[in-house]
Amino acid sequence: MATITSAGLGSGIDVEGLITKLMTAERAPITQIQTQESAIQTKLSAYGTLKSSLSTLSDAAKALQTKSNFSSWTANVADTAAASATVSSSASAGSYSLNVTQLAQAQKTRSAGYDSSSTTIATGTLQIDLGTLASDGTTSTFTADSTRSFSVTIDSTNNTLSGLKDAINAAKSGVTASIVNDGSKSRLVLTSDSTGASNAFKLSGLTGFDFDPAATSTSTLTSTQAAQDAEFTLDGIEVTRSSNTVSDVIDGVTLTLKSKSTADTTLTVASDTAAITTKINAFVTAYNNTVGLMASQSNYNSTTKTAGPLNGDASIRNIQSQLRSIMSGSVGSGSVSRLSDVGIQIGVDGKLTVDSTKLGKALSDPTKDVASLFATNGTTSGLADQLVTRITNMNDTGGILTSRTDGLNSTIKTMDKSIAALEARMTSIEARYRKQFTAMDATISSLNSTASYLTAQLSKL
């Protein structure tokens, strides 16, 4: 039968309590290292938060880093029913008089009515020729393009209205066929895949389905819409295009023609100062957030006597100094060389404030090169470009942020090794204490037994 033992049972001494107190004292170095490690972990976490904030600042700065970032434009057509416009970064400011006289359209023809789509039609070969329809106002001429000529065979396997539709669509000739039922009759409708006079088509060779766009009155099929180009004037210059979407007339501007103009309308292309202002304000916000974060991480509250996780850290002071140096510096020697020239002031707390009115005037003034203040201009780096470069360097190998976090991580690893070694030592020390107390307990128990025996013997005398 197993014997139940407990340290101190023989002597009546609280051996477990003594061992616990002794081990608490022995573990004091471990507790001290753990406290130090917790403080370093807090610093490491603070640096992680700072890295994230600096990354956000870098992204905001990248939106202002190059001249093209400032090439934001808007386009407006006064008569929105006549046309609309979009712009790219290659646009330039300007105002134009626009008058839409004709929209581009695709040729459409329809057949006579048939009882149904399965009605039998003639067999033969339908010739489809695409080409250009020209007119001098009285006479129309169709010129076929030999590279766009197709033939469709209709035999006993597909000589229905539906079969003809499927055969035309399978040919992928640039003409699409469909069947429209008006409730009593079915008609084959043919439409050119593209707008413009150069995408007209002529049909021949199949009885009941011939069509000449230059001689519609003698054709079997009926013209419902002639192929024609878009025509408009821009500042009095006559322009013709095959599509209603025109992107090769004004550099960087795409016009979408919608309807004929009732009168001349104005197309205006101007700098999109609102978009640029948004980018600058986003940059200011990101910068202020980073400055505020570093202030809270490194401050000391004398009232509560508490310090931020990076209080007294030389690296944080170095980063603060680098950012402040860039933002308070000057770029070039033009009319816009400092932030204050565009209404951005640096406060005593290091944060930026924006005078929206002054910034708006600077952006609207063609004599003020606001872009060069932030972006790279030849060999001169603007403030945003400098910030991106500096933050990148901080995070590179050997950079201040990388070196600092690597150093903290290295210290933590060293502490973990020390704790592991001390923990192994604690196991050995506790085992020694238990062995010593067990021996003591046995000795005292033996002495107590002897004392009890002697007492009993003496009492008999």
Side-chain angles (χ1 to χ4, degrees), residues 51-189:
K51 275 188 172 184
S52 177
S53 182
L54 285 168
S55 176
T56 300
L57 173 57
S58 179
D59 288 341
K62 286 176 182 176
L64 301 169
Q65 190 179 11
T66 64
K67 282 277 192 176
S68 62
N69 293 133
F70 287 80
S71 299
S72 295
W73 303 91
T74 58
N76 176 67
V77 179
D79 183 359
T80 56
S84 63
T86 57
V87 288
S88 67
S89 60
S90 61
S92 301
S95 179
Y96 310 87
S97 176
L98 172 68
N99 192 304
V100 182
T101 55
Q102 178 174 288
L103 292 180
Q105 60 187 31
Q107 178 181 315
K108 287 186 177 184
T109 63
R110 64 173 173 80
S111 71
Y114 290 79
D115 290 337
S116 71
S117 60
S118 59
T119 299
T120 302
I121 62 173
T123 58
T125 300
L126 177 66
Q127 183 71 25
I128 304 174
D129 295 304
L130 278 78
T132 301
L133 179 65
S135 175
D136 60 7
T138 57
T139 304
S140 295
T141 304
F142 175 77
T143 304
D145 180 351
S146 60
T147 64
R148 295 187 293 166
S149 180
F150 303 87
S151 61
V152 175
T153 300
I154 302 299
D155 55 27
S156 59
T157 64
N158 62 350
N159 61 326
T160 63
L161 203 62
S162 179
L164 177 58
K165 178 204 71 172
D166 293 341
I168 292 173
N169 290 337
K172 300 185 183 301
S173 62
V175 176
T176 298
S178 61
I179 294 177
V180 176
N181 188 299
D182 63 6
S184 60
K185 296 292 183 180
S186 293
R187 291 177 171 82
L188 183 73
V189 176

Side-chain angles (χ1 to χ4, degrees), residues 244-268:
N244 291 316
T245 301
V246 183
S247 58
D248 59 350
V249 175
I250 305 173
D251 190 29
V253 179
T254 297
L255 280 171
T256 300
L257 309 179
K258 298 179 178 180
S259 66
K260 292 177 64 174
S261 302
T262 56
D264 286 355
T265 188
T266 302
L267 164 64
T268 305

